[in-house]
């Protein structure tokens, strides 16, 4: 393995979406796992190959939603039954009054889950990111117009500068280039 710290990765440019799809399938089959694709429009087959897998957002949202629901119920219980019990309309002053607490419990669960989903999505995606090393690649400005790029990152366990470059060249791209940090 060669020194990885001086480059972000190796990027190949492909002319068609079909060529990029085939390249991502071959890269995944070769064992590369830290790669990303840049295209002018979403390509489902490519997304499936380069997706990072479980990001942890669903479990965070579940925990936050349950915590919000528990907090809402506990706050109502403390306020209505322990600290300020008022018998209005003949309602019971014990836990059997739980149906009246469902709306706030539900709403706080949704509120906590929504905020956690938005915040964790931003944080786990590394946003805001005004600069990305991929911008250093030659012709990368075409990625938003008509070019298709596949980048194998230097953080990949199988990454070797020369072998990865040779592998990408074997896939028939228009060009292969190293991407500086």
């Amino acid at each position: 393995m060669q020194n990885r710290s001086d480059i972000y990765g190796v990027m190949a440019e492909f002319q068609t979406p079909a060529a990029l799809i085939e390249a991502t399938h071959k890269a995944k089959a070769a064992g590369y796992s830290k790669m990303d694709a840049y295209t002018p429009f979403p390509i489902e087959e490519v997304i499936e190959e380069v997706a990072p897998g479980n990001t942890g957002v669903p479990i965070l949202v579940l925990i936050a939603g349950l915590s919000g629901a528990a907090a809402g119920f506990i706050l109502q219980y403390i306020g209505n039954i322990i600290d300020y019990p008022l018998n209005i309309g003949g309602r019971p002053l014990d836990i059997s009054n739980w149906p009246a607490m469902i709306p706030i419990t539900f709403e706080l669960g949704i509120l906590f889950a929504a905020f956690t989903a938005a915040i964790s999505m931003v944080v786990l995606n590394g946003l805001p990111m005004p600069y990305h090393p991929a911008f250093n690649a030659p012709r990368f400005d075409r990625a938003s117009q008509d070019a298709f790029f596949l980048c194998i990152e230097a953080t990949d366990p199988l990454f070797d500068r020369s072998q990865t470059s040779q592998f990408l060249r074997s896939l028939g791209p228009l060009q292969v280039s190293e991407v500086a940090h």
Side-chain angles (χ1 to χ4, degrees):
M1 297 279 171
Q2 297 176 4
N3 185 6
R4 303 178 189 186
S5 64
D6 57 340
I7 65 170
Y8 174 74
V10 178
M11 186 175 288
E13 178 185 356
F14 297 92
Q15 191 168 9
T16 64
L20 178 64
I21 292 168
E22 183 180 343
T24 56
H25 288 311
K26 288 181 179 178
K28 189 74 164 188
Y32 291 105
S33 59
K34 299 273 186 171
M35 56 184 170
D36 205 353
Y38 305 94
T39 63
F41 50 85
I43 303 173
E44 187 67 33
E45 295 89 349
V46 173
I47 294 169
E48 292 171 2
E49 296 293 334
V50 301
N54 185 7
T55 60
V57 173
I59 193 71
L60 290 174
V61 171
L62 175 66
I63 291 169
L66 292 175
S67 299
F73 188 84
I74 290 168
L75 285 172
Q76 289 180 92
Y77 181 82
I78 291 170
N80 292 335
I81 297 172
I82 296 175
D83 287 344
Y84 200 62
L86 290 178
N87 188 352
I88 298 173
R91 70 177 183 166
L93 294 174
D94 59 8
I95 196 68
S96 64
N97 192 28
W98 67 268
M101 299 180 193
I102 289 176
I104 299 299
T105 300
F106 175 77
E107 290 300 328
L108 276 179
I110 296 298
L111 181 71
F112 279 42
F115 278 135
T116 300
I119 292 168
S120 63
M121 185 270 307
V122 169
V123 170
L124 293 174
N125 282 331
L127 298 175
M129 184 186 299
Y131 170 80
H132 192 278
F135 297 156
N136 293 327
R139 294 180 31 91
F140 189 74
D141 58 328
R142 307 296 303 170
S144 63
Q145 298 168 16
D146 61 358
F148 304 89
F149 293 89
L150 176 65
C151 181
I152 298 178
E153 299 172 9
T155 57
D156 190 284
L158 296 179
F159 184 84
D160 179 84
R161 184 179 272 178
S162 61
Q163 289 178 351
T164 303
S165 295
Q166 183 180 1
F167 170 75
L168 286 173
R169 282 188 183 85
S170 73
L171 301 176
L174 296 174
Q175 70 175 359
V176 173
S177 58
E178 291 183 353
V179 180
H181 269 289

